[in-house]
Amino acid sequence: VNVDANSFTSEELKKALAKMKASEKAERKVSFLFLKQCTVRKKFRPIEQLKEEFEKLNMKIETDYEIMVKLISKFNSSASTLDEKVAALYDLEYYVHQV
């Protein structure tokens, strides 16, 4: 749109109005997503914060990934008995099945 002109054609006005509506929709969408993200952040705490709080209570919270790594290392360990390896495989099957 030619902004230096004293008058505008109807086509120029239509184009400018369409651009304003599109930018307004984009702004609304961004603000909606931001508000939604803020409400989610208010509801839930980050995993790092939860881990710190549980450590203060002498509780160690492990993710499924951490547990699976331990089970695999237990299975691969030569010090583990046959029963421990079988138990590790059963436990690992449970966690893999969830994924």
Side-chain angles (χ1 to χ4, degrees):
V1 177
N2 183 7
V3 293
D4 294 330
N6 289 335
S7 63
F8 302 103
T9 64
S10 63
E11 280 301 313
E12 290 176 328
L13 291 173
K14 287 179 185 177
K15 287 180 184 178
L17 186 59
K19 285 183 182 179
M20 286 174 41
K21 286 181 181 178
S23 66
E24 185 179 311
K25 283 182 183 178
E27 287 178 15
R28 280 189 198 160
K29 187 175 182 180
V30 167
S31 63
F32 172 74
L33 292 175
F34 179 73
L35 288 175
K36 188 174 180 181
Q37 189 179 31
C38 288
T39 56
V40 168
R41 284 186 178 162
K42 286 180 184 177
K43 265 187 186 177
F44 303 104
R45 292 179 282 175
I47 188 77
E48 293 81 20
Q49 182 183 0
L50 290 173
K51 283 183 178 181
E52 289 173 6
E53 291 176 7
F54 278 113
E55 283 177 11
K56 290 176 185 175
L57 298 171
N58 293 328
M59 295 177 70
K60 171 103 171 91
I61 302 299
E62 296 177 318
T63 63
D64 289 351
Y65 173 77
E66 293 169 335
I67 294 170
M68 288 192 296
V69 167
K70 283 185 178 181
L71 290 171
I72 291 170
S73 65
K74 183 182 243 182
F75 176 76
N76 289 332
S77 173
S78 60
S80 298
T81 65
L82 182 62
D83 289 336
E84 290 174 334
K85 289 184 178 189
V86 170
L89 282 177
Y90 277 117
D91 292 343
L92 188 60
E93 179 187 23
Y94 170 78
Y95 285 101
V96 171
H97 179 72
Q98 289 182 346
V99 175

